[in-house]
């Protein structure tokens, strides 16, 4: 009877942890935009593109952001590191895959959100050699910092410990008559926030399990929801896409391409 009750409490703890993890993932992420100045190296060479900048583009092309594998960091959990020994892929291959997935999510979701705002947007995959058409607004960028953090400490402790981060640098160009003039530049920052983790927020019911079993319950819950927790960068990529699209919607409304009512609010970085 005692072992049955203990197992039921353990299952209850896992369910509670899963529910809490959903709330943490959805409620604690922070994302912001920092505008940057635009400078033309030689304005005379891009005069046609600059002249066309205020007019509505034929299309908005969002190209997958570029990145260096060195700017990508895998999940730092010791348990995750242990499983690396059993994997056939190299650390560099895994970092490249994380970066590619983040870049694809940002470009795909940005294009989708712009389309809903009334702009003719499309994604250009990173491996595509498709030409950029005349009268295009080209959205490009770089993943500056992609850090999965430490999944276990982020879930268990929170308060910024083991946080995930995603920083990007975005450049938007007007393409006209073979010329490419930069019209917008900004950076984005997203992180998993500083909400308390599960251990500080657990109730008496979970604490009765004892430290070892409690930690096992956390890891089991994380494993049972691996898609959710392993995709923290994917989640931050989606939030980044929101802000990229929102910033472009403000620019589009300012130029009269879309109604002001369709422009979305931008979260600017403090200061």
């Amino acid at each position: 009877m005692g072992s049955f009750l203990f197992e039921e409490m353990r299952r209850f703890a896992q369910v509670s942890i899963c529910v809490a993890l959903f709330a943490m993932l959805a409620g604690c992420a922070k994302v912001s935009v920092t505008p940057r100045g635009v400078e033309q190296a030689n304005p005379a060479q891009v005069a046609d593109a600059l002249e066309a900048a205020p007019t509505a583009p034929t299309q908005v092309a969002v190209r997958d952001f570029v990145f260096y594998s060195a700017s990508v960091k895998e999940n730092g959990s010791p348990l995750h590191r242990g499983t690396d020994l059993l994997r056939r892929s190299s650390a560099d291959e895994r970092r490249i895959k994380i970066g590619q997935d983040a870049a694809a999510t940002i470009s795909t979701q940005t294009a989708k959100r712009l389309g809903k705002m009334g702009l003719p947007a499309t994604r250009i995959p990173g491996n595509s050699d498709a030409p950029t058409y005349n009268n295009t607004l080209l959205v490009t960028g770089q993943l500056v910092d992609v850090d999965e953090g430490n999944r276990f400490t982020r879930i268990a402790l929170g308060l910024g410990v083991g946080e995930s981060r995603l920083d990007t640098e975005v450049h938007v160009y007007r393409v006209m008559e073979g010329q490419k003039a930069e019209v917008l530049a900004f950076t984005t920052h997203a992180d998993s926030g500083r909400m308390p983790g599960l251990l500080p927020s657990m109730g008496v019911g979970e604490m009765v399990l004892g430290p070892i079993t409690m930690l096992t319950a956390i890891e089991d819950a994380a494993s049972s929801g691996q898609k959710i927790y392993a995709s923290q960068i994917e989640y931050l990529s989606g939030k980044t896409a929101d802000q990229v699209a929102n910033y472009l919607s403000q620019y589009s409304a300012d130029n009269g391409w879309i109604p002001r009512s369709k422009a979305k609010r931008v979260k600017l970085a403090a200061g």
Side-chain angles (χ1 to χ4, degrees):
M1 180 67 179
S3 119
F4 173 78
L5 180 60
F6 183 83
E7 187 59 31
E8 285 300 304
M9 289 178 64
R10 186 167 179 269
R11 286 201 188 100
F12 173 77
Q14 290 177 2
V15 171
S16 299
I17 290 166
C18 284
V19 171
L21 285 170
F22 274 109
M24 288 169 62
L25 184 65
C28 62
K30 297 186 302 180
V31 59
S32 61
V33 169
T34 302
R36 300 296 186 192
V38 173
E39 294 183 6
Q40 308 297 338
N42 193 332
Q45 292 184 355
V46 292
D48 290 339
L50 289 173
E51 185 179 355
T55 61
T58 302
Q59 70 164 347
V60 180
V62 187
R63 187 182 295 279
D64 284 1
F65 287 11
V66 300
F67 66 93
Y68 297 101
S69 63
S71 66
V72 180
K73 301 179 184 66
E74 280 190 277
N75 178 9
S77 167
L79 294 173
H80 179 83
R81 296 294 189 190
T83 61
D84 286 348
L85 300 175
L86 305 176
R87 300 181 182 183
R88 294 183 180 180
S89 60
S90 67
D92 194 56
E93 288 172 332
R94 292 193 297 274
R95 288 195 298 269
I96 290 173
K97 181 64 166 59
I98 293 169
Q100 288 175 335
D101 288 347
T105 297
I106 292 173
S107 58
T108 300
Q109 296 302 321
T110 297
K112 183 181 297 185
R113 286 157 175 70
L114 291 174
K116 290 181 179 179
M117 297 171 190
L119 292 165
T122 184
R123 172 206 171 196
I124 302 179
N127 59 359
S128 172
D129 57 358
T132 303
Y133 296 104
N134 202 30
N135 196 23
T136 292
L137 191 70
L138 177 63
V139 184
T140 66
Q142 179 178 339
L143 306 180
V144 177
D145 183 20
V146 184
D147 189 350
E148 288 191 319
N150 186 314
R151 185 177 70 181
F152 184 81
T153 55
R154 183 172 68 249
I155 292 171
L157 301 176
L159 299 174
V161 179
E163 72 172 6
S164 301
R165 294 190 306 275
L166 176 60
D167 292 338
T168 76
E169 183 178 294
V170 186
H171 298 274
V172 182
Y173 299 91
R174 191 54 179 264
V175 180
M176 177 66 76
E177 303 297 342
Q179 301 173 3
K180 190 172 75 169
E182 186 174 71
V183 294
L184 281 178
F186 56 97
T187 61
T188 70
H189 170 77
D191 62 54
S192 52
R194 301 182 61 82
M195 277 187 66
L198 294 175
L199 291 181
S201 59
M202 275 183 169
V204 176
E206 288 84 355
M207 290 299 185
V208 171
L209 294 171
I212 300 300
T213 308
M214 185 166 52
L215 293 176
T216 303
I218 291 174
E219 187 60 32
D220 287 348
S223 297
S224 67
Q226 186 173 4
K227 169 62 179 172
I228 298 170
Y229 316 123
S231 64
Q232 180 70 255
I233 290 298
E234 181 181 357
Y235 180 77
L236 295 181
S237 299
K239 289 297 183 182
T240 297
D242 285 343
Q243 291 301 307
V244 173
N246 291 357
Y247 198 75
L248 287 169
S249 76
Q250 293 284 338
Y251 177 73
S252 300
D254 288 344
N255 284 291
W257 305 342
I258 62 173
R260 176 61 63 181
S261 59
K262 288 192 175 183
K264 304 297 182 181
R265 184 178 178 182
V266 177
K267 175 64 176 178
L268 294 177

